[in-house]
Amino acid sequence: QVNLVESGGGLVQAGGSLRLSCAASGRTFSSVTMGWFRQAPGKEREFVAGITGGGSSTSYADSVKGRFTISRDNAKNTVDLQMNSLKPDDTALYYCAATRSLIVTAYSSLYYAWGQGTQVTVSA
């Protein structure tokens, strides 16, 4: 079992940057593929980015490619999401999640642990 706590959300103007962090508990964190998802009001939860346990493989949604970067520090049990060139459409509640899949997957149903979420609001 892994417990996840997100931090780093806030209000930022369009074009600005934020860095989200997800702190995880659990001794086997380095073997767990992690993902970031987001959910805007009235919309379904969507995949944003993912990273494999060792950090060698990452994947991004087309909407964030070139602007967002996912990384992890297994010594600190953290997964970060650096978000640059933010747009109002990026406004959402952002969640980190853990999956037993050995590869990054965009299917939220395959993630077994979720954090509470951190709010990101981008003003025009």
Side-chain angles (χ1 to χ4, degrees):
Q1 183 66 25
V2 60
N3 293 316
L4 305 172
V5 178
E6 303 95 337
S7 62
L11 173 64
V12 65
Q13 288 186 333
S17 299
L18 280 175
R19 188 176 184 90
L20 306 183
S21 187
C22 174
S25 65
R27 298 179 179 177
T28 59
F29 177 75
S30 61
S31 65
V32 178
T33 297
M34 298 293 296
W36 281 96
F37 288 77
R38 66 187 182 186
Q39 187 167 19
K43 295 186 177 180
E44 293 185 355
R45 189 173 298 186
E46 64 174 356
F47 172 79
V48 175
I51 186 168
T52 51
S56 61
S57 180
T58 59
S59 181
Y60 298 90
D62 288 343
S63 59
V64 306
K65 278 181 183 177
R67 300 188 298 122
F68 291 11
T69 302
I70 189 171
S71 61
R72 67 190 298 158
D73 185 335
N74 287 338
K76 296 180 179 179
N77 279 18
T78 58
V79 178
D80 290 350
L81 185 68
Q82 176 67 41
M83 306 186 296
N84 299 327
S85 301
L86 283 161
K87 306 174 181 179
D89 284 349
D90 295 317
T91 295
L93 189 59
Y94 283 71
Y95 300 89
C96 69
T99 176
R100 293 185 178 89
S101 173
L102 296 180
I103 60 174
V104 175
T105 175
Y107 294 102
S108 60
S109 60
L110 297 181
Y111 287 77
Y112 68 91
W114 294 81
Q116 299 279 10
T118 185
Q119 178 67 39
V120 172
T121 304
V122 184
S123 62

